[in-house]
Amino acid sequence: MTGHLPQLDRAEAPRDARRAFVERILRTADELERFALDSCDAARPQATLVTRAGAVALGGRDRVLLGRALACDVVVAGSGVSRVHAALVRRRAGWWIEDLGSRNGTWCDGERIERRRLADGDLLHLGREPVQFGLR
């Protein structure tokens, strides 16, 4: 039996070839999906905020805290601004502003809001402090 090789089932060879082919297709699909997502991120407009202190580019962050506390990502010092006042959150559908239970409220284009999707040029007020949201 030293020269005897095991016989492969004739049905297994095509099954293994099909399995390898399907795995190669799935790997290619995964690579294409990663490429598409990377391309979308590169083409996504960058958000900026303009406060009395100047302009702030938000970069690649997905969540930005606004308030007068030094621990916030964007410090907005002024009348009626809570320590941690609001958050800007990037979702698939764009940027959103969420009030974090502030005493004097978060306002967008003159309307008090709890959560709202933002558009380029929206004028926010944290308390009485104006903050302009922009996309570029």
Side-chain angles (χ1 to χ4, degrees):
M1 289 213 191
T2 56
H4 184 271
L5 295 174
Q7 290 281 334
L8 294 177
D9 183 9
R10 289 183 188 254
E12 280 192 41
R15 206 175 318 142
D16 289 342
R18 280 192 301 266
R19 184 178 301 128
F21 182 71
V22 168
E23 287 174 0
R24 193 168 57 234
I25 288 173
L26 292 174
R27 276 194 308 272
T28 302
D30 287 344
E31 290 171 10
L32 288 171
E33 183 178 19
R34 275 194 297 275
F35 177 75
L37 290 174
D38 290 344
S39 298
C40 289
D41 285 343
R44 195 184 316 189
Q46 295 299 309
T48 58
L49 293 177
V50 179
T51 68
R52 290 182 201 246
V56 178
L58 302 182
R61 292 180 266 184
D62 289 331
R63 183 173 171 86
V64 179
L65 291 178
L66 308 171
R68 70 171 201 273
L70 295 178
C72 289
D73 300 306
V74 177
V75 176
V76 181
S79 178
V81 179
S82 296
R83 285 184 200 97
V84 181
H85 195 102
L88 288 174
V89 181
R90 181 177 14 200
R91 297 197 176 105
R92 275 207 157 150
W95 282 93
W96 292 71
I97 182 83
E98 296 176 355
D99 185 81
L100 298 176
S102 65
R103 172 175 238 146
N104 293 308
T106 300
W107 301 75
C108 185
D109 294 330
E111 177 184 341
R112 188 170 184 160
I113 55 99
E114 287 185 31
R115 177 180 300 135
R116 178 174 168 172
R117 183 173 179 201
L118 295 173
D120 185 34
D122 277 347
L123 180 61
L124 307 171
H125 280 86
L126 307 182
R128 288 183 224 110
E129 289 299 309
V131 177
Q132 183 87 37
F133 175 81
L135 296 170
R136 55 183 167 118

